[in-house]
């Protein structure tokens, strides 16, 4: 009963805190165009709410809730409980991200002004948290999950503010601020929480899946195909400009899916890939388009990038994951390093290369939207490319330090579950009979 009451108490305290902070600070954003935006507000990341299409916001929200929720359901030992915890994390992180991002971006005269774009930004931050939880799934209890979300939202927003606002990095689809940051943040938390005896057992059990649970992977993958193009392009559509991000993402994900069917039968004995492997490659193909999606990748370039990400993902599971576990003591339950981390890095490198090739002739009026400082003449293309590239090690540094700090907090004795209970992390909220999984 103690773990359940501890979770209940923490949820109560955090929700009351959010309600009080919302009451004091949060107000509706006035429906005004960019030209009438108060000069004290940082409006560089905010689209005009009156022109913000409601279906796009719904697509992003559905993707976070259903896409990420179902993507962790394929694990037989942790699946049912992990979906419930994912919903809890989403419910808390969205509220918390609205507040923290509001203080950075939408704070004026002591108030936070929120609109549809604020919700999309909160969903992006929540996605980074869910990626991190995939690395520690089954090894932390729900109380620790909530505290992880509490700390990561702060650090993720700080990283995003430094990159997007201070440095002027173009990362609309969040290769760096969501995929790369979330993956390596979670991996460092996993490293700090390393326990030799239990991690060895959980490493053998973490891929305990069955054909029945592959259905969750099927549904999750379908949601990715339908809604992720909207997720990755939610901040890129301006006026009536053709949305390159949607097209590039679609081309990338189809190539990554084909790559899975090429490589998995070579690496494994199965004649066709399992649905979980298709799901992972699909995610990788879309993560690689996070930074480069709105750039001039060209359709065949998007196919090449997706194909490379689709090859990199199964190679990571086959060769990198055992090394991370054996040498670096990192138990990555859902393989976020291969699905989000490596494709995110590849996407950042691709975005840097495409920045060097950006010209006014090729982009036209779009150059002002993708690289505003270059279009205004305050930065050269080379300078912008250098800044895009330097954002990668900075993100890795902040994710590493933040993950170590968070792991140290979660490792404190009062937060850990009793060591002698069987799978206490999963049964805190959801009793699971392994025979039914």
């Amino acid at each position: 009963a103690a773990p359940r009451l501890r979770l209940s108490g923490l949820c109560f305290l955090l929700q009351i805190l959010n309600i009080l902070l919302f009451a004091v600070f949060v107000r509706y954003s006035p429906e005004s165009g960019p030209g009438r935006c108060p000069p004290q507000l940082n409006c560089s990341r905010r689209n005009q709410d009156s022109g913000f299409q409601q279906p796009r916001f719904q697509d992003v929200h559905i993707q976070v809730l259903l896409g990420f929720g179902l993507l962790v359901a394929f694990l037989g030992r942790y699946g049912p409980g992990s979906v419930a915890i994912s919903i809890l994390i989403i419910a808390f992180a969205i509220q918390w991200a609205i507040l923290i991002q509001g203080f950075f971006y939408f704070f004026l005269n002591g108030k936070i002004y929120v609109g549809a774009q604020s919700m999309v930004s909160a969903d992006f931050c929540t996605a980074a948290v869910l990626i991190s939880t995939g690395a520690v799934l089954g090894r932390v209890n729900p109380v620790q999950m909530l505290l992880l979300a509490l700390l990561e939202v702060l650090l993720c927003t700080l990283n995003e503010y430094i990159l997007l606002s201070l440095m002027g990095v173009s990362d609309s689809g969040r290769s760096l601020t969501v995929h790369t940051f979330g993956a390596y943040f979670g991996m460092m938390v996993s490293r700090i929480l390393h326990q030799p005896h239990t991690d060895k057992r959980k490493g053998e059990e973490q891929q305990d899946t069955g054909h029945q649970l592959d259905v969750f992977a099927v549904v999750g993958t379908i949601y990715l195909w339908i809604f992720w193009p909207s997720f990755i392009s939610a901040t890129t559509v301006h006026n009536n400009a053709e949305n390159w991000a949607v097209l590039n993402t679609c081309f990338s994900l189809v190539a990554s899916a084909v790559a899975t069917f090429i490589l998995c039968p070579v690496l494994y004995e199965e004649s066709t890939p399992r649905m979980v492997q298709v799901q992972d490659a699909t995610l990788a193909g879309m993560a690689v388009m996070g930074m480069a999606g709105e750039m001039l990748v060209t359709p065949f370039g998007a196919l090449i990038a997706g194909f490379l990400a689709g090859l990199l993902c199964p190679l990571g599971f086959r060769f990198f994951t055992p090394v991370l576990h054996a040498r670096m003591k990192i138990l990555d339950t859902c393989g976020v390093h291969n699905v989000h981390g490596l494709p995110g890095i590849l996407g950042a490198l691709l975005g840097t290369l495409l920045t060097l090739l950006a010209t006014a002739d090729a982009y036209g009026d779009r150059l002002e939207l993708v690289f505003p400082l270059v279009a205004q003449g305050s930065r050269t293309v080379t300078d912008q490319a250098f800044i895009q590239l330097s954002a990668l090690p900075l993100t890795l540094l902040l994710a590493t330090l933040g993950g170590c700090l968070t792991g140290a907090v979660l490792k404190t004795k009062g937060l850990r579950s009793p060591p002698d209970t069987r799978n206490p992390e999963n049964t805190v909220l959801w009793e699971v009979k392994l025979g039914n999984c």
Side-chain angles (χ1 to χ4, degrees):
R4 290 178 173 82
L5 293 178
R6 190 184 307 159
L7 174 64
S8 177
L10 181 61
C11 288
F12 177 79
L13 291 176
L14 291 179
Q15 188 58 47
I16 293 299
L17 174 64
N18 281 332
I19 290 173
L20 293 176
L21 290 175
F22 266 68
V24 174
F25 293 109
V26 178
R27 300 293 183 270
Y28 294 123
S29 175
E31 293 186 2
S32 59
R36 286 179 287 164
C37 179
Q40 297 91 337
L41 278 176
N42 180 358
C43 299
S44 60
R45 301 170 61 252
R46 188 182 69 180
N47 289 340
Q48 184 178 352
D49 269 352
S50 59
F52 190 85
Q53 299 176 7
Q54 183 69 11
R56 290 171 52 222
F57 162 65
Q58 291 176 345
D59 288 351
V60 173
H61 208 57
I62 290 172
Q63 177 59 56
V64 171
L65 182 62
L66 289 179
F68 280 98
L70 291 172
L71 290 179
V72 297
F74 70 93
L75 293 170
R77 189 169 296 275
Y78 311 125
S82 65
V83 176
I85 297 303
S86 293
I87 294 175
L88 173 63
I89 296 301
I90 292 168
F92 167 71
I94 287 178
Q95 300 176 69
W96 188 236
I98 286 286
L99 289 166
I100 301 303
Q101 292 181 337
F103 285 117
F104 277 92
Y105 297 109
F106 308 113
F107 194 68
L108 175 64
N109 296 330
K111 303 299 178 184
I112 297 171
Y113 293 94
V114 298
Q117 193 61 32
S118 305
M119 289 295 296
V120 171
S121 298
D123 280 334
F124 280 145
C125 188
T126 302
V129 175
L130 292 173
I131 290 170
S132 298
T133 59
V136 296
L137 187 64
R139 304 172 59 232
V140 295
N141 57 50
V143 170
Q144 292 171 309
M145 284 280 201
L146 273 176
L147 293 177
L148 183 148
L150 178 75
L151 295 174
E152 185 170 1
V153 167
L154 291 167
L155 296 165
C156 181
T157 302
L158 175 62
N159 179 64
E160 186 180 271
Y161 180 74
I162 292 173
L163 265 59
L164 303 186
S165 294
L166 300 184
M167 296 175 62
V169 173
S170 176
D171 187 27
S172 61
R174 308 304 197 261
S175 277
L176 286 176
T177 56
V178 170
H179 295 284
T180 305
F181 184 90
Y184 289 97
F185 184 96
M187 288 171 62
M188 292 313 301
V189 173
S190 178
R191 175 63 185 89
I192 299 299
L193 295 177
H194 170 66
Q195 297 178 359
H197 300 296
T198 57
D199 279 8
K200 182 179 180 181
R201 173 175 58 83
K202 290 181 182 293
E204 296 168 353
E205 296 171 346
Q206 67 176 355
Q207 296 299 332
D208 176 23
T209 64
H211 294 292
Q212 185 177 3
L213 290 168
D214 273 352
V215 174
F216 288 108
V218 173
V219 179
T221 304
I222 291 173
Y223 273 108
L224 288 175
W225 278 62
I226 296 174
F227 294 112
W228 197 281
S230 296
F231 181 92
I232 210 168
S233 65
T235 61
T236 62
V237 176
H238 299 265
N239 301 323
N240 295 320
E242 183 68 30
N243 196 339
W244 289 353
V246 171
L247 299 174
N248 291 330
T249 303
C250 290
F251 290 135
S252 179
L253 71 88
V254 296
S256 65
V258 173
T260 309
F261 285 86
I262 295 173
L263 193 56
C264 283
V266 177
L267 297 177
Y268 303 98
E269 296 179 358
E270 300 165 332
S271 57
T272 57
R274 296 187 61 186
M275 198 60 216
V276 172
Q277 295 166 330
V278 178
Q279 164 192 291
D280 292 338
T282 302
L283 265 173
M286 288 179 286
V288 77
M289 279 293 111
M291 179 182 288
E294 65 175 340
M295 301 179 188
L296 188 57
V297 184
T298 71
F300 81 90
L303 289 175
I304 294 174
F307 186 72
L308 292 176
L311 295 177
L312 186 63
C313 183
L315 286 172
F317 276 104
R318 184 67 177 84
F319 299 107
F320 294 159
T321 298
V323 173
L324 288 175
H325 189 195
R327 300 289 179 85
M328 302 183 67
K329 312 304 179 186
I330 297 176
L331 178 57
D332 183 2
T333 308
C334 291
V336 298
H337 178 245
N338 313 308
V339 177
H340 299 279
L342 292 177
I345 292 175
L346 180 61
L349 297 177
L350 175 61
T352 301
L353 175 62
L354 293 172
T355 303
L356 286 171
L357 303 177
T359 63
D361 292 337
Y363 279 74
D365 294 339
R366 187 184 290 269
L367 187 66
E368 174 70 27
L369 305 177
V370 182
F371 302 113
L373 297 178
V374 174
Q376 296 164 11
S378 57
R379 234 182 231 176
T380 66
V381 171
T382 306
D383 292 338
Q384 183 67 39
F386 176 76
I387 289 173
Q388 297 284 130
L389 182 61
S390 63
L392 175 58
L394 178 59
T395 297
L396 293 174
L397 176 63
L398 290 174
T400 301
L401 295 178
C404 290
L405 172 64
T406 303
V409 172
L410 301 186
K411 201 173 183 178
T412 55
K413 186 176 181 180
L415 296 176
R416 286 180 291 182
S417 299
D420 56 347
T421 3
R422 181 174 178 80
N423 296 322
E425 297 84 359
N426 198 44
T427 57
V428 168
L429 277 186
W430 202 294
E431 298 289 347
V432 178
K433 295 182 180 179
L434 297 181
N436 293 338
C437 292

